[in-house]
Amino acid sequence: MANKMFLVLLFCFFFTFYLDLIFAKEAVKGVRPFIIVYDNGTIVRDDAIRTDPVVPPQSTPDPITGVISKDIVLDPYTNLSARVYLPSLNHTSKKLPILLYFHGGAFCIGSPFSRLDHKYLNRLTSSGKVVSISINYRLFPEHTLPTAFEDAWFALQWVASQSQRLAWTEPWIATHGDFSRVYLGGDSSGATIVHNLAIRASLDPLLYDLHIYGAVLVTPFFLGSGRVPLDPPNYTQTPYYRVWPYVCPHCPHGVDNPVVNPVGPRSPTLRRLAVEKILVYTAEHDPLLGRGVRYITGIRGSGWKGILAYYEGKNVSHVFHVSIPDHPETQVLITRVGQFLRA
Ligand SMILES: *[C@@H]1O[C@H](CO)[C@@H](O)[C@H](O)[C@H]1NC(C)=O
Ligand SMILES: *[C@@H]1O[C@H](CO)[C@@H](O)[C@H](O)[C@H]1NC(C)=O
Ligand SMILES: *[C@@H]1O[C@H](CO)[C@@H](O)[C@H](O)[C@H]1NC(C)=O
Ligand SMILES: *[C@@H]1O[C@H](CO)[C@@H](O)[C@H](O)[C@H]1NC(C)=O
Ligand SMILES: *[C@@H]1O[C@H](CO)[C@@H](O)[C@H](O)[C@H]1NC(C)=O
């Protein structure tokens, strides 16, 4: 009897061992749709990004919006690049506001050169009548934070330098851009970047003349420990929450680090936001809706002196305006953001 039991146990042991061998290679702790974490420690970007292919810029006017675009390198040392957009000018020499834009993707995925982001920027450039520059900031897993924030700060300084007509002048921005009306815009992690730029601009000097007039944050990627109203019950299981320790492994205080929790115990007062007007656009079914709303109430309660606009897309979720271009709520958003940029 004991012998039989021993054999059964032995069999079970080797069978499990065998299964482990077969599946070990596949064992993953994915933080989809952002990254895949293999048991052997290898981390790769999630393949989902491939469903949104890279598209070239358009040197002839886009048939729908009339916008033209081109790719440029901002910093040959880091290869920081960007796509610049110019709306149809109709022979006017009127200066246009400048939109410095940051795409989303939890600091892991996304690109200014992807089909969906390109489409969104075309529409926004046309609706807002702005010169846009969409930044290809560096991502995880090749880079961890604060690299993306440093690239963003470099990009802001670079735009400011365009007002001086130095050696690296980019004619679309230098000729058509109005440096007294610069907007920071971004969605998801791009909105996190926008917030951090607007805070940093109140502390660090810009090398050249530039006035950050407004900021547009769409479905912002903000986190924090503890619950806020509207957090879904599974908030800490969402990929946004789970991806944070990877993208910012050396962030003290984790999700309460001020770069991702703008209303946390260690965060600088939102009164510091160095812009005159802010538009926050949330989405009804976004798991991060509560965090966006908390940001808005935080700004309101901070004594910040500026104009705060707030909209919520109905029956839509995180970054709907990029991922579902044909959704009626996307058209509404583009119209509203366009109005905000033109005002
Ligand atoms: C870890 O596993 C992945 C997936 O099987 C494989 O592609 C990668 O080469 C492995 N890395 C190491 C260091 O073994
Ligand atoms: C520089 O960036 C461009 C566009 O993102 C990319 O195609 C190219 O491979 C990069 N070059 C290097 C040396 O990293
Ligand atoms: C140029 O004219 C077209 C058609 O009237 C209009 O849609 C577009 O917004 C104009 N562009 C600018 C920059 O004013
Ligand atoms: C969280 O809950 C919502 C609603 O029940 C569900 O749609 C979503 O898939 C859940 N997310 C995770 C990461 O479990
Ligand atoms: C909300 O959107 C879903 C598709 O995402 C659709 O099936 C549903 O009918 C919509 N609900 C309302 C009330 O519009």
Side-chain angles (χ1 to χ4, degrees), residues 176-188:
H176 302 293
D178 177 351
F179 294 90
S180 70
R181 281 187 300 159
V182 173
Y183 288 91
L184 310 175
D187 53 87
S188 189

Side-chain angles (χ1 to χ4, degrees), residues 273-312:
L273 287 163
V275 291
E276 286 179 38
K277 49 180 198 161
I278 299 177
L279 188 158
V280 182
Y281 214 117
T282 58
E284 187 183 2
H285 299 318
D286 184 354
L288 297 181
L289 168 64
R291 303 289 151 175
V293 171
R294 182 69 190 85
Y295 185 61
I296 291 159
T297 55
I299 294 174
R300 284 202 182 121
S302 72
W304 173 73
K305 291 183 182 41
I307 298 162
L308 179 64
Y310 169 41
Y311 297 110
E312 183 176 296

